[in-house]
Amino acid sequence: MHPHETVDRALRLSAQGLPDRQVAALCGVSASTVRRWRTGAGRAHVTPNPRRHSCPRCHGRDLDGDAYAHLLGLYLGDGHLVRCRKQVFQLSLFCGDTWPGLIDEAAAAMARVMPTSSVSRRQRIGCTEVKSYAKHWPCLFPQHGPGAKHRRAIRLADWQQEIVSAHPGRFVRGLMHSDGYRGINHIRRVLPSGERRYAYPRYLFKNESADILALCGEALDLLDVAWRYNKRNEISVARGEAVERLDEFVGPKY
């Protein structure tokens, strides 16, 4: 009988798409043993693996709504799903290296939503890819599909809308921390009395998907934050009280 830790590690590696022989070499067992564990044959003595029942949509596991609303915003802003081997999907978020605190927060949200799957990071040029492998990521992100998000309809399922309505601040935080910006807008005016310059903080959220922009606007409405379309593909929050209100949920990047 092999230790439970060995069985769990082998199943975790198999879930990531590694072939049985490679998993066997990493775990110090035979390939046939890995195959039996993976298929469930001869495992009556093994403690049931929670990873087989890890999906909130399929298996009824509790879903952390606060973390999910944040992760959904990050995914819609700058994330994607890739299908790997054996029906396993890779969820990736691309976070700018300028803000290490946001990278840590993205990884934490991913781990809270799918605690049975490990989260890793990969350094890219100018950014860090935060990723996790699981068979059931598409269940949590039904917006997944071929091609860029702005070239297909993006609609929230009823259960997603309920979570966003309950946690609009976390959803907007994810959107702003992926495709958003908080900075100082500088204005120059030439008046009869002379040149005047103004500066004030504002938020911008830019996305090529009209549907995602609309979702951002609906969440801002739930937060009582005044906003407007600054451009065709950009939302602006610039009124003083609106910026202060949004700071409570998003805040300057750290």
Side-chain angles (χ1 to χ4, degrees):
M1 180 182 298
H2 295 278
H4 293 313
E5 292 79 6
T6 302
V7 179
D8 290 341
R9 185 188 181 202
L11 292 174
R12 183 170 63 252
L13 293 172
S14 293
Q16 294 178 3
L18 273 67
D20 292 343
R21 289 186 179 278
Q22 186 175 352
V23 174
L26 292 171
C27 296
V29 298
S30 67
S32 61
T33 298
V34 173
R35 185 163 51 253
R36 287 199 307 273
W37 291 342
R38 177 172 53 79
T39 60
R43 292 181 56 205
H45 63 285
V46 178
T47 302
N49 182 14
R51 294 176 185 275
R52 297 178 65 87
H53 304 283
S54 61
C55 179
R57 300 296 302 161
C58 299
H59 306 132
R61 178 177 62 77
D62 290 339
L63 178 61
D64 187 326
D66 181 86
Y68 179 76
H70 183 211
L71 186 61
L72 178 61
L74 291 169
Y75 165 74
L76 292 178
D78 203 9
H80 72 264
L81 279 172
V82 176
R83 183 175 179 176
C84 305
R85 296 182 57 187
K86 299 181 180 180
Q87 303 299 317
V88 176
F89 287 80
Q90 173 187 317
L91 172 63
S92 293
L93 304 174
F94 295 89
C95 307
D97 290 332
T98 309
W99 310 103
L102 303 189
I103 298 174
D104 293 339
E105 190 175 353
M110 194 178 289
R112 286 170 60 189
V113 170
M114 192 69 78
T116 54
S117 297
S118 60
V119 178
S120 61
R121 308 181 192 194
R122 182 178 181 182
Q123 186 61 51
R124 301 285 189 174
I125 299 177
C127 69
T128 296
E129 179 186 9
V130 181
K131 58 184 179 179
S132 175
Y133 295 89
K135 290 187 175 181
H136 290 274
W137 278 126
C139 305
L140 297 179
F141 297 102
Q143 290 73 31
H144 168 62
K149 296 188 187 78
H150 69 277
R151 293 180 178 174
R152 61 180 189 270
I154 300 294
R155 301 285 187 271
L156 296 186
D158 290 343
W159 63 271
Q160 290 179 300
Q161 188 60 64
E162 290 179 4
I163 292 176
V164 170
S165 296
H167 305 277
R170 297 297 294 176
F171 179 64
V172 171
R173 184 178 181 87
L175 291 174
M176 287 293 180
H177 283 178
S178 56
D179 267 355
Y181 164 82
R182 185 191 189 280
I184 304 298
N185 189 35
H186 296 274
I187 301 295
R188 175 179 174 271
R189 293 283 188 268
V190 178
L191 304 175
S193 58
E195 181 180 277
R196 298 290 301 274
R197 294 180 181 272
Y198 306 89
Y200 58 89
R202 68 173 176 177
Y203 283 93
L204 298 175
F205 175 69
K206 187 173 184 178
N207 197 287
E208 292 301 320
S209 169
D211 291 338
I212 295 176
L213 288 171
L215 290 173
C216 180
E218 290 170 6
L220 291 172
D221 288 340
L222 290 174
L223 296 173
D224 292 325
V225 171
W227 62 277
R228 67 181 181 88
Y229 282 101
N230 189 49
K231 299 177 182 177
R232 172 193 59 81
N233 59 350
E234 188 174 74
I235 281 177
S236 170
V237 176
R239 294 182 182 178
E241 64 276 11
V243 171
E244 291 180 5
R245 173 67 171 164
L246 196 52
D247 279 344
E248 298 177 17
F249 302 96
V250 180
K253 287 185 175 181
Y254 54 92

